[in-house]
Amino acid sequence: QAQLVESGGGSVQTGGSLRLSCVASGRTFRNYNMGWFRQAPGKEREFVCAINRSDGSTNYAASVKARFTISRDNAKNTVYLQMNSLKPEDTAVYYCAASQAWAVVPTLYGWWGQGTQVTVSS
């Protein structure tokens, strides 16, 4: 059974921080590019960031760059999303996903977690 399981979501005030984790099992984690996506009520699923399988390079959506940091620990089969300076518009369900391609579109990610809720209030 291959799984991606997110954790670390919660409710914070504007300006606060959260650290999300995504633990993979059942597959060779280091062979996958890992991404974070989010979906707010009434909106399309949105690319947040990704980290490469080979060289660790990263890609961030303009809306989160300089505030969010993606990282991975292959020994722990885990990818992280450190979120700082949170804003109400960051409120969404956050999903961890894996892809064999280096991509920003959700259709190229074939392995998804169930999501974790992040709520930011003022």
Side-chain angles (χ1 to χ4, degrees):
Q1 180 71 40
Q3 287 187 293
L4 294 174
V5 180
E6 302 97 334
S7 63
S11 298
V12 297
Q13 294 183 342
T14 297
S17 297
L18 286 172
R19 190 191 193 207
L20 307 183
S21 298
C22 174
V23 180
S25 62
R27 301 189 187 186
T28 305
F29 176 76
R30 68 177 183 85
N31 289 346
Y32 290 89
N33 306 302
M34 300 301 298
W36 287 96
F37 293 78
R38 66 188 183 187
Q39 189 165 20
K43 295 186 178 181
E44 299 290 328
R45 189 163 296 190
E46 175 189 21
F47 172 79
V48 176
C49 56
I51 186 164
N52 191 266
R53 71 216 273 188
S54 297
D55 61 10
S57 61
T58 57
N59 189 22
Y60 295 90
S63 59
V64 306
K65 192 170 185 179
R67 299 189 299 120
F68 290 11
T69 302
I70 186 172
S71 60
R72 66 191 296 164
D73 186 338
N74 288 344
K76 297 180 178 179
N77 289 348
T78 303
V79 61
Y80 304 95
L81 181 62
Q82 178 67 46
M83 304 184 294
N84 298 325
S85 301
L86 284 162
K87 306 174 181 179
E89 52 262 45
D90 296 318
T91 296
V93 177
Y94 283 71
Y95 297 91
C96 175
S99 177
Q100 295 183 19
W102 183 233
V104 301
V105 293
T107 53
L108 291 179
Y109 287 76
W111 187 20
W112 293 83
Q114 291 295 309
T116 185
Q117 177 71 46
V118 171
T119 302
V120 185
S121 61
S122 61

